Amino acid sequence: MKLIGIVDDDEAVRDSLAILLEACGYAVVCFGSALAFLNNADITGLLCLLVDVHMPGMNGLELVELLRGRGIDTPTIIITGAADAALRATADRFEQLTFLEKPVDGDQLLDTIEQIAT
């Protein structure tokens, strides 16, 4: 199964990403926060994960760090409206991590998923 997890506190972003991905044949599971994802997701079955950086509570990079610390190396796409040099430097510590800028271009997202999840 081609299951993609989306973690973003913006419902409109979650919905639009889910519609795009489902139209392209992916199954999607959405979460409004990192904590909701950690409490409810079958993390091991994901093809990849789309994560917003700026969320209340645990941010996207903290979620990735926690997952990597648990030995979970799911390919992850970080979605952000502001990928500054400091953020990218922090993210460089992690393998299988890609950045996309908001607003996310649908074709670029699909190409990135194909690249990182195969």
Side-chain angles (χ1 to χ4, degrees):
M1 174 184 268
K2 300 187 313 183
L3 180 63
I4 296 177
I6 300 172
V7 183
D8 195 310
D9 61 321
D10 186 328
E11 184 177 6
V13 171
R14 288 192 314 267
D15 290 348
S16 64
L17 290 172
I19 289 167
L20 170 67
L21 294 171
E22 288 170 346
C24 293
Y26 293 99
V28 177
V29 60
C30 295
F31 302 92
S33 70
L35 185 58
F37 171 76
L38 291 169
N39 288 336
N40 297 299
D42 178 6
I43 297 167
T44 60
L46 296 175
L47 176 68
C48 72
L49 189 57
L50 308 179
V51 180
D52 185 25
V53 170
H54 301 289
M55 296 183 289
M58 182 183 299
N59 72 40
L61 285 177
E62 291 169 337
L63 174 60
V64 171
E65 185 171 23
L66 179 68
L67 294 173
R68 298 306 190 261
R70 293 180 179 177
I72 300 168
D73 292 329
T74 303
T76 302
I77 299 170
I78 294 289
I79 300 171
T80 182
D84 60 21
L87 185 62
R88 288 188 184 275
T90 301
D92 282 345
R93 299 179 303 162
F94 304 109
E95 294 183 25
Q96 298 196 55
L97 185 67
T98 304
F99 273 96
L100 290 180
E101 299 270 346
K102 287 182 180 179
V104 176
D105 176 78
D107 290 332
Q108 183 183 19
L109 175 62
L110 295 169
D111 288 345
T112 302
I113 290 170
E114 287 300 315
Q115 289 172 5
I116 69 169
T118 56

